[in-house]
Amino acid sequence: IGEWRIVFIVVIAQITLFLSYASSAIWRIRFQLEQAIHGRPLTILSDGLDLAISAFRFTSGHTGVLGPFLVENHLVSAPGMALATIFELSCLWVVTRPGLYNIWGFLIMIFHLGFVLTMNLQFDDHLLLITLFLMGSPFVRSWRFEILEQAK
């Protein structure tokens, strides 16, 4: 495979990864607009995370370590859904700035760790893709390259 084909595949994979997070945020915003149109309370600003954790616990029968704590302490979990939506939507800005791929990749790993701790959802495949295409991006000149150059 030619070098340009590998670069093309990596770019498409990175864009797909970013768009998957953006689409999650866009659908969540669309749902909130429908809620507002029908006069229902906006779950993204109030008890959205509490409802998501409770629904997951009800359907699956289990939850993560922080799940019960967040359901009981509404003031801690209230901004969770809004912050998650803003964070996921920020990938539309990050996709055009390869210098931020490492930072955003690390933050998205922490984001997924939060899901593991609250709902006991496993994201092994997602974390592998994030590591391959964001943390190990060939378009980012990071501290790893500088250490290798200094070693020469």
Side-chain angles (χ1 to χ4, degrees):
I1 299 178
E3 185 175 323
W4 67 272
R5 289 183 183 173
I6 294 172
V7 169
F8 180 73
I9 290 169
V10 169
V11 167
I12 294 300
Q14 288 175 336
I15 290 172
T16 304
L17 189 65
F18 281 118
L19 288 178
S20 68
Y21 287 104
S23 67
S24 172
I26 290 168
W27 280 104
R28 196 174 301 126
I29 291 169
R30 180 182 176 269
F31 175 72
Q32 294 305 309
L33 290 174
E34 286 179 7
Q35 294 284 87
I37 289 170
H38 296 295
R40 295 186 210 125
L42 299 178
T43 56
I44 199 168
L45 298 176
S46 58
D47 56 355
L49 188 58
D50 300 345
L51 291 173
I53 294 170
S54 297
F56 183 76
R57 187 177 359 179
F58 179 73
T59 57
S60 68
H62 66 281
T63 187
V65 176
L66 293 178
F69 171 78
L70 291 174
V71 170
E72 293 173 9
N73 297 297
H74 180 68
L75 292 176
V76 177
S77 65
M81 258 328 196
L83 290 174
T85 303
I86 292 168
F87 179 68
E88 287 177 330
L89 205 55
S90 73
C91 73
L92 294 174
W93 180 71
V94 173
V95 73
T96 60
R97 289 158 179 79
L100 295 176
Y101 284 9
N102 284 337
I103 295 167
W104 203 82
F106 179 72
L107 291 175
I108 203 74
M109 286 181 179
I110 292 173
F111 176 74
H112 284 293
L113 179 63
F115 275 110
V116 170
L117 291 175
T118 56
M119 292 192 249
N120 202 20
L121 295 173
Q122 300 301 317
F123 288 101
D124 301 336
D125 298 338
H126 290 80
L127 294 178
L128 176 65
L129 291 174
I130 290 165
T131 304
L132 285 174
F133 295 118
L134 296 180
M135 303 297 285
S137 175
F139 308 112
V140 178
R141 184 168 178 82
S142 68
W143 57 271
R144 292 184 299 270
F145 296 114
E146 293 175 16
I147 290 173
L148 290 174
E149 286 183 9
Q150 289 176 359
K152 289 181 181 179

